[in-house]
Amino acid sequence: MTGARALTAAALAILVGGAVFAAVRPASRAAPRSLPAPERAGAVAAVDASLEARWAAEGLTPAAPADDLAVLRRLTLALTGTVPSLEEIRRFEADAAPGRLDRWAAALLDDPRFHRSFAERLARVFAGSHAGAFVVYRRDLLVDWLAERLARREPFDAVVRELVSSEGLWTGSPEVNFITAAVVDGKVDEDQLAARTARAFLGVRMDCAQCHDHPFADWKQAQFKGLAAFYGGLKPSPLGLERAGGGEPHAPFGAEWLPERGRPRERLAAWLTDARNPRFARATANRVWGLMFGRPFVEPVDDVPPAGTKGTEALDLLAEDFVRSGYDLRRLVLAVAASRAFRLSSDLPEGAPRAALEKAWAVFPVTPLRPEQLIGGLLQAGSVRTIDRDSDLVTRAIRVLREKSFVAEYGDPGADELAERPATIAQALLRMNHKLPDEVLEANPFTATGRVALMAGGDGARALEVTWLALVTRRPTEAERAKFLPWLAEARGGGERGKVLGDLAWALFNSAEFSWNH
Amino acid sequence: MEPLSRRSLLAAAAAAALMPRGVLGAAARAKSLLVIWLEGGPSQLETWDPHPGTAIGGQVGAARTRAPGLEIADFYPRVAEQVHRLSVLRSVVSKEGDHERGTYAVKTGHRPEGATIHPSLGAIACHEAPVAERGLPPHVSLGKAQWPARGGFLGPGLDAFRIVNPGTLENLEPPAKVRAREERRLEALRVVEAGFGAAPGRRQEALDGALAMMSSPRRRAFVLDDEPKAVRQAYGDHPFGRGCLVARRLLEAGVRAVEVTLGGFDSHAGNHEAHRAAAQVLDPALSALLAELAERDLLRSTVVLVTGEFGRTPKINVAGGRDHWPHGFSCLLGGGGIAGGQVIGETDPSGAKAATASAVPVEDVAATVLAALGVDVRLELETPEGRPIPVTKGTPIRRLL
């Protein structure tokens, strides 16, 4: 244990050393002013108009616009899975030109943290989250493969076609893990793949139709079996996937889009991503909305009503633009990030009808962070510099290890990450009493808290500000300053000041403000 | 260490005669579930279904027990003194030969399918008979379980609360070196919380519950300082022994469902040695636990299930190991009104694949547990999406109830 701690401390020292000077003082590094302001992507104006019309019709007064730092926080959490680093906050604040949030959103899409984090989210949907050691290794290959495609801006329809129709061995062709993740006892479970295909790519829950006709939607068992037959008779062999036998494939709807020729899975891939299939784009838009807001536009994320359903016009608009853009996932993400709904505050005046406003996207929904966001946020807050691909290998290795074990203890949400879960007592206990937060947040020469205590010296106001920015991406309120400045002033010596700051960092980490998206 | 004294039997019979039917039903209901989870898939042949002297039997011998005709592997001399309190199921079958899927099947009584995560038996027990008192979690998992029991679609609030290192309070108290600063930390937390106005109410409950647990005197059930040394020694000075002793304390304190996990059974190589090593831990702990449950009259109100995710192949492989075998394995089941001393089913001494005509699907084991807990096996539970899911697809084993 001591060894691991020393290693952690060393890694944090590398991270923190030097950078803290720059970050504790207002930005000395270049702000990304040189970045071109991205066009307000496609559907933004139309989506705004559609939601505004709904608010007017329902007599709802939307929340006030959120503070830019609050938007930066939710944007960074959605796209990278962590809170913004002090370094990033300083650079963001130094950027005074209009449209800085749009610019930052666009810049984050080129950040490897985004590729990695979004790839992980998508991999869970495509291949589940089974934990067997061998399967984890396979999934990691799939995550790498997806991250690479996100980095090189491959159109999303092409990505899905590759997944669905891939051949070959899982080692050489990571995308084939979409299929092999459904191998049970040496056989490809076609029903599992059909259910996943329907959920992930069509936004349809057909699972119940596996055994009987769907009780309340109009899915019939024959439709499910027809879909499953595209994956029928598949067997992993030393040469890759082989098809022997299998039933007669049928498209569950839109049979006219199904190519007549080709291998069954090639035909299915073409049918799924055909521009005439509105369900593919709507399902993707709903998922991206969910990943950005912490809550999908319609719930559950993978049971989306058909195009044109009242109340889901925004999804239609985003989906149409997604198809028009040639399935450009970044443009879709940017459009959601630029929408008025995404930039609204979570705060409401006393007595405002929160439930009704949340339902109509007239206030930013307050949702619990996913475990990986919570731990990512914690580790980032314990460091001054941005933890990313450029961070040294040791730091990243430690981060990955800790993320995995903490996520396991915190409760892995599995494949269905966007289903909202109530906060549990066990999670609150873990946040309060687990040794990891203390290791990361305690003041010692190697942690951000320790460096801040040292650099700020007797300047309590500065120390508070930096601690608050690092953890909750805002400055302390008047009430907080009034309460905590005397604590710091009364502390005798740097060591004691560090302890007070460590306790304040602990309190911030345990606050709902930290562990809930807002 | 008599099972049940004659006097208490008579008293129970007299009380039963006087009580109206409905009340008797309620009184006869089990209160709690205790699962002893043998992770990795224990070999039926080296535990509760030895076949010494046959081609498949390996090197283990058989030990007589207090139940007439029942013999178990002689790795377990102490359990042999206690096992008559439970029944032995020797022809359990499952369709899942993978650790994770097999665990799911046994812990929930359902095959893993689609996106619906079924609740574990312990979570169902908590859901159907909620524990009123605060201060202790209703569902607890002790030890290093790879797939601890979950709440599934009943919600993460019914996930088993994990104590990885039994005997300690783990996350129920702050790390030692910052304990003195807890007051200041909580005061700071109150100030910060007061300033965050978004969505009040929804999030306060978990924090309040956590603080209640941290300050509750009931949490002492998790630690062993007030247990006599002799008792602790009887269970064994290792995490699993401590886990079993903590389990007894938790059951006494009114916890609804407890699982204690022991690993080391996945013996693809060196099966005999692996099972001998595991038995040195399991034998004292399980026997002490069964004896104490009986002594303290907890066995009548606690359903006890001792099982893993599957058994191991009758055939011994070239590495001296046994591989995964869900086609006829053993578990122990009893307590909570379930008959003890029974032997259900048998396996083929020649090791041919199909278990027997008397095969007991894991679904039926789950149904028996639920029935003993007083859960109507025809009950349907509702998922958050409003989909009704049968609590079990199995049939309770009549002979045991």
Side-chain angles (χ1 to χ4, degrees), chain B residues 74-212:
Chain B
D74 66 4
F75 284 157
Y76 292 93
R78 296 196 216 178
V79 171
E81 292 292 310
Q82 301 293 334
V83 72
H84 58 280
R85 304 184 193 283
L86 309 177
S87 287
V88 183
L89 278 57
R90 281 180 169 164
S91 52
V92 182
V93 294
S94 158
K95 293 199 169 71
E96 305 295 346
D98 162 85
H99 291 292
E100 187 173 7
R101 293 176 64 90
T103 302
Y104 185 106
V106 176
K107 286 195 176 178
T108 70
H110 292 266
R111 291 190 77 180
E113 57 194 19
T116 302
I117 309 289
H118 295 90
S120 62
L121 297 171
I124 297 170
C126 297
H127 186 256
E128 292 306 304
V131 180
E133 307 110 295
R134 279 164 69 116
L136 275 179
H139 190 191
V140 177
S141 174
L142 300 160
K144 225 179 239 171
Q146 199 174 358
W147 297 287
R150 285 192 289 181
F153 63 73
L154 294 179
L158 291 182
D159 283 352
F161 180 84
R162 298 182 74 186
I163 294 281
V164 175
N165 192 5
T168 70
L169 282 171
E170 236 163 57
N171 294 320
L172 284 163
E173 63 183 2
K177 63 177 182 153
V178 293
R179 217 158 286 161
R181 286 150 62 188
E182 202 186 352
E183 275 300 296
R184 184 164 73 194
R185 290 180 163 200
L186 290 173
E187 191 184 345
L189 178 58
R190 276 190 291 274
V191 173
V192 176
E193 286 288 78
F196 183 62
R202 280 205 293 151
R203 55 195 163 75
Q204 199 54 45
E205 218 171 292
L207 186 61
D208 287 350
L211 290 171

Side-chain angles (χ1 to χ4, degrees), chain A residues 151-200:
Chain A
R152 63 172 200 233
R153 307 187 179 204
E154 185 161 315
F156 193 61
D157 59 331
V159 174
V160 170
R161 277 197 298 273
E162 283 182 75
L163 282 170
V164 171
S165 65
S166 56
E167 301 279 331
L169 283 175
W170 64 269
T171 39
S173 321
E175 72 278 16
V176 86
N177 286 298
F178 169 69
I179 307 287
T180 51
V183 171
V184 178
D185 292 341
K187 289 190 290 277
V188 174
D189 182 351
E190 59 193 78
D191 286 353
Q192 201 181 318
L193 280 171
R196 194 169 285 155
T197 298
R199 284 162 170 266

Side-chain angles (χ1 to χ4, degrees), chain A residues 59-74:
Chain A
L60 298 170
T61 309
D67 176 87
D68 271 10
L69 276 184
V71 178
L72 178 71
R73 182 183 178 88
R74 57 176 83 135

Side-chain angles (χ1 to χ4, degrees), chain B residues 185-368:
Chain B
R185 290 180 163 200
L186 290 173
E187 191 184 345
L189 178 58
R190 276 190 291 274
V191 173
V192 176
E193 286 288 78
F196 183 62
R202 280 205 293 151
R203 55 195 163 75
Q204 199 54 45
E205 218 171 292
L207 186 61
D208 287 350
L211 290 171
M213 230 183 253
M214 286 164 67
S215 57
S216 165
R218 295 178 74 217
R219 74 189 172 138
R220 300 307 303 169
F222 279 112
V223 288
L224 302 172
D225 356 332
D226 55 355
E227 287 291 336
K229 198 170 170 216
V231 172
R232 281 185 278 162
Q233 274 173 347
Y235 280 82
D237 185 21
H238 40 69
F240 180 73
R242 288 189 285 275
C244 287
L245 182 47
V246 170
R248 189 214 78 208
R249 292 171 63 90
L250 292 173
L251 291 166
E252 277 179 318
V255 168
R256 183 70 66 222
V258 184
E259 71 174 10
V260 194
T261 299
L262 174 65
F265 291 96
D266 196 16
S267 51
H268 290 283
N271 177 73
H272 185 82
E273 295 70 25
H275 277 75
R276 185 171 53 201
Q280 280 163 6
V281 175
L282 180 57
D283 189 39
L286 179 58
S287 56
L289 179 59
L290 289 174
E292 280 214 310
L293 288 178
E295 225 167 74
R296 293 169 180 242
D297 201 17
L298 286 165
L299 202 52
R300 281 197 303 175
S301 60
T302 308
V303 175
V304 181
L305 173 63
V306 183
T307 187
E309 60 267 45
F310 37 62
R312 307 204 76 84
T313 46
K315 192 174 178 319
I316 297 173
N317 66 26
V318 288
R322 297 186 191 269
D323 302 312
H324 301 177
W325 182 258
H327 311 293
F329 60 101
S330 298
C331 69
L332 305 178
L333 178 60
I338 294 174
Q342 307 289 305
V343 180
I344 308 267
E346 57 185 4
T347 47
D348 174 4
S350 77
K353 180 168 169 151
T356 56
S358 62
V360 178
V362 288
E363 287 82 356
D364 289 0
V365 178
T368 310

Side-chain angles (χ1 to χ4, degrees), chain A residues 133-153:
Chain A
F134 197 45
V135 183
V136 165
Y137 177 59
R138 291 178 168 202
R139 273 194 63 252
D140 285 351
L141 286 179
L142 179 62
V143 172
D144 287 345
W145 183 86
L146 284 163
E148 202 184 310
R149 259 117 206 106
L150 286 168
R152 63 172 200 233
R153 307 187 179 204

Side-chain angles (χ1 to χ4, degrees), chain A residues 5 130-132 184-185 192 199 205 207-208 216 295 300 346-347 354 358 366-367 408-409 420-426 428-430 432-435 438 442 468 474 479-480 483-484 487 496 499-500 502-504 506-508 510-513 516 518, chain B residues 95-98 100-101 111 113-116 146-147 150 155-157 159 161-162 164 170-175 177-178 181-182 184-189 191-193 195-200 202-203 205-207 209-211 213-214 385-388:
Chain A
R5 275 188 78 147
H130 298 291
V184 178
D185 292 341
Q192 201 181 318
R199 284 162 170 266
R205 288 192 171 190
D207 312 28
C208 340
F216 33 88
R295 182 183 293 168
S346 289
D347 290 331
R354 181 175 291 275
E358 279 199 1
V366 182
T367 57
E409 281 198 59
E420 210 164 309
R421 287 163 177 78
T424 67
I425 292 174
L429 287 168
L430 198 65
M432 280 197 273
N433 299 328
H434 195 275
K435 63 183 188 316
D438 255 316
E442 74 178 343
W468 257 244
R474 67 168 170 88
E480 287 163 342
K483 178 79 188 179
F484 301 132
W487 289 15
E496 189 52 31
K499 280 187 183 161
V500 173
D503 291 344
L504 294 176
W506 179 93
L508 289 171
N510 275 284
S511 70
E513 186 176 356
W516 290 63
H518 53 84
Chain B
K95 293 199 169 71
E96 305 295 346
D98 162 85
E100 187 173 7
R101 293 176 64 90
R111 291 190 77 180
E113 57 194 19
T116 302
Q146 199 174 358
W147 297 287
R150 285 192 289 181
D159 283 352
F161 180 84
R162 298 182 74 186
V164 175
E170 236 163 57
N171 294 320
L172 284 163
E173 63 183 2
K177 63 177 182 153
V178 293
R181 286 150 62 188
E182 202 186 352
R184 184 164 73 194
R185 290 180 163 200
L186 290 173
E187 191 184 345
L189 178 58
V191 173
V192 176
E193 286 288 78
F196 183 62
R202 280 205 293 151
R203 55 195 163 75
E205 218 171 292
L207 186 61
L211 290 171
M213 230 183 253
M214 286 164 67
E385 296 87 40
R387 193 176 150 202

Side-chain angles (χ1 to χ4, degrees), chain A residues 231-377:
Chain A
Y231 297 107
L234 285 180
K235 256 182 73 177
S237 84
L239 297 171
L241 282 174
E242 279 175 10
R243 181 174 167 107
E248 183 62 30
H250 292 289
F253 54 86
E256 61 276 23
W257 316 322
L258 187 66
E260 281 178 17
R261 291 166 180 283
R263 291 185 298 115
R265 282 185 294 130
E266 273 170 5
R267 294 170 68 210
L268 174 64
W271 175 83
L272 283 171
T273 57
D274 190 287
R276 287 167 290 179
N277 179 3
R279 286 196 174 271
F280 175 59
R282 265 173 71 88
T284 310
N286 195 40
R287 186 170 301 282
V288 166
W289 187 283
L291 289 169
M292 298 300 291
F293 280 88
R295 182 183 293 168
F297 196 90
V298 292
E299 288 180 288
V301 67
D302 47 16
D303 208 2
V304 185
T309 303
K310 193 172 179 304
T312 67
E313 293 80 3
L315 279 188
D316 286 330
L317 294 165
L318 289 167
E320 283 157 20
D321 188 67
F322 185 47
V323 177
R324 258 199 313 276
S325 71
Y327 300 94
D328 181 351
L329 200 64
R330 292 162 169 258
R331 184 173 156 111
L332 179 57
V333 169
L334 285 179
V336 175
S339 69
R340 183 170 165 202
F342 190 78
R343 308 259 171 111
L344 292 177
S345 172
S346 289
D347 290 331
L348 287 172
E350 192 99 14
R354 181 175 291 275
L357 289 162
E358 279 199 1
K359 198 159 174 266
W361 301 99
V363 61
F364 191 88
V366 182
T367 57
L369 293 185
R370 295 188 298 269
E372 110 282 346
Q373 290 174 312
L374 184 86
I375 189 71

